[in-house]
Amino acid sequence: MATTSDTFTELYLSGDRLWGDDFTPQQIDEWFADECEAYADLGGSDTTAEKYDYHGLNWQNGYRLLPPGRFTHALGVGSSFGFEFSPVLDRIDEITILEPSTRLRRKEFRGMPLRYVDPSPTGVMPFQSATFDLVVCFGVLHHIANVTKIIHEMGRVASPGGWVVIREPVISMGDWRSGRRPGLTKRERGIPRKLLEAALRDSGFLIKSSMLCCMPLSQRISRLVGCNIYASRLGAVIDRSLSIATAWNYRYHAVNSWQKLRPSSVFIVAQREWATVR
């Protein structure tokens, strides 16, 4: 896909269009191949311990907003070992995980069997419509080229009245054309907030909550105290306060240090409309 630097900035770094969402099938295949084991290659493939530092963040901004009661069948999109289900695990009857990596899998989590399914680069999910009453996707969509297609598929496989909980970076994560970015995979880039919310609405979801989170100062606090503050509910409240205070400075692509002082992610809780599934 040829584009001049000015056009690229105007269309993609502005946040008006999502890079990768209009790729050809061949480009999507290439992207999928690059990202399939990329997170595992960064060191995320240790199954010996439940090393997961975002339970507080997930609870405060997402899970606590779900209605009471049980979920018959939950889908984890890119949920690897299933650790992110921990806060609501006792409310779920069955879990299926759509996971491209063969290294980020385990047979069960705290007695709950985990069923893994390989995703297709096309984005089409191999499930019948209205299969899941809970869909969870934390920090995965920004690794995918055809994001809008995946979200539309979430809308198809979610049952009427079912819920989706999503956390994604909504900043560019730097200029991804510049080569290797330390700590990041080759292809990942954030999803502009307005485009993410629009895709959910177009897929039949009613957004119940959309909260900015993950302000960079929270990570600095984590380093000072020697632990990830996202692991605790108090830490998540602190991060939420920092995110509210700097939300006015939100922009998709920062070009100086001052512009980086803004929330970097959004947490969305949405419900599938009760109308006929598309």
Side-chain angles (χ1 to χ4, degrees):
M1 180 178 296
T3 178
T4 66
S5 178
D6 288 343
T7 300
F8 186 92
T9 299
E10 180 181 348
L11 293 179
Y12 300 106
L13 293 184
S14 66
D16 289 336
R17 192 176 298 179
L18 180 61
W19 177 251
D21 220 25
D22 55 357
F23 273 16
T24 66
Q26 180 180 347
Q27 289 174 310
I28 292 173
D29 286 344
E30 293 170 353
W31 182 308
F32 185 88
D34 286 338
E35 290 291 317
C36 188
E37 297 288 354
Y39 181 72
D41 290 338
L42 286 178
S45 58
D46 182 11
T47 66
T48 59
E50 294 179 20
K51 186 177 180 182
Y52 187 83
D53 294 326
Y54 297 91
H55 288 318
L57 186 72
N58 294 346
W59 173 261
Q60 183 64 30
N61 297 318
Y63 285 137
R64 73 180 180 89
L65 303 177
L66 294 175
R70 299 196 64 79
F71 296 100
T72 302
H73 198 172
L75 172 66
V77 179
S79 295
S80 63
F81 304 128
F83 296 161
E84 60 199 37
F85 285 104
S86 180
V88 291
L89 190 64
D90 60 351
R91 297 173 54 193
I92 299 174
D93 294 331
E94 183 180 356
I95 294 177
T96 295
I97 296 179
L98 199 63
E99 174 59 58
S101 174
T102 59
R103 294 155 56 191
L104 301 178
R105 303 184 181 193
R106 55 189 292 159
K107 293 181 179 180
E108 55 84 30
F109 174 48
R110 296 184 184 175
M112 170 71 73
L114 301 177
R115 173 191 174 225
Y116 286 91
V117 175
D118 296 327
S120 166
T122 66
V124 176
M125 296 183 180
F127 311 117
Q128 294 184 349
S129 298
T131 297
F132 305 98
D133 51 0
L134 176 63
V135 179
V136 173
C137 185
F138 293 155
V140 174
L141 293 176
H142 69 287
H143 289 279
I144 296 170
N146 45 345
V147 171
T148 298
K149 176 63 178 179
I150 298 294
I151 293 176
H152 283 178
E153 281 293 280
M154 289 182 183
R156 181 183 65 80
V157 302
S159 60
W163 294 83
V164 63
V165 186
I166 293 177
R167 170 171 46 83
E168 286 294 328
V170 288
I171 61 173
S172 65
M173 307 175 75
D175 190 338
W176 52 88
R177 299 170 299 169
S178 61
R180 180 173 175 77
R181 294 164 292 164
L184 301 179
T185 64
K186 177 181 178 179
R187 299 278 193 165
E188 64 181 306
R189 55 28 183 147
I191 305 168
R193 184 184 187 184
K194 63 182 180 181
L195 299 184
L196 179 59
E197 293 180 348
L200 283 165
R201 293 190 182 98
D202 188 54
S203 302
F205 288 104
L206 299 173
I207 295 176
K208 300 295 186 178
S209 174
S210 178
M211 295 190 288
L212 290 170
C213 60
C214 301
M215 200 274 178
L217 288 179
S218 298
Q219 290 294 344
R220 295 191 180 186
I221 293 174
S222 295
R223 289 193 289 270
L224 286 174
V225 300
C227 65
N228 193 330
I229 69 170
Y230 297 142
S232 72
R233 297 181 186 183
L234 174 60
V237 171
I238 293 173
D239 174 73
R240 176 61 181 152
S241 299
L242 291 172
S243 296
I244 291 173
T246 56
W248 63 272
N249 199 35
Y250 169 73
R251 67 202 67 214
Y252 181 63
H253 183 66
V255 295
N256 59 51
S257 297
W258 173 252
Q259 292 178 354
K260 295 179 181 180
L261 292 176
R262 85 291 202 200
S264 63
S265 296
V266 71
F267 222 117
I268 298 176
V269 178
Q271 186 178 28
R272 185 67 172 83
E273 293 181 77
W274 288 93
T276 303
V277 176
R278 300 177 187 182

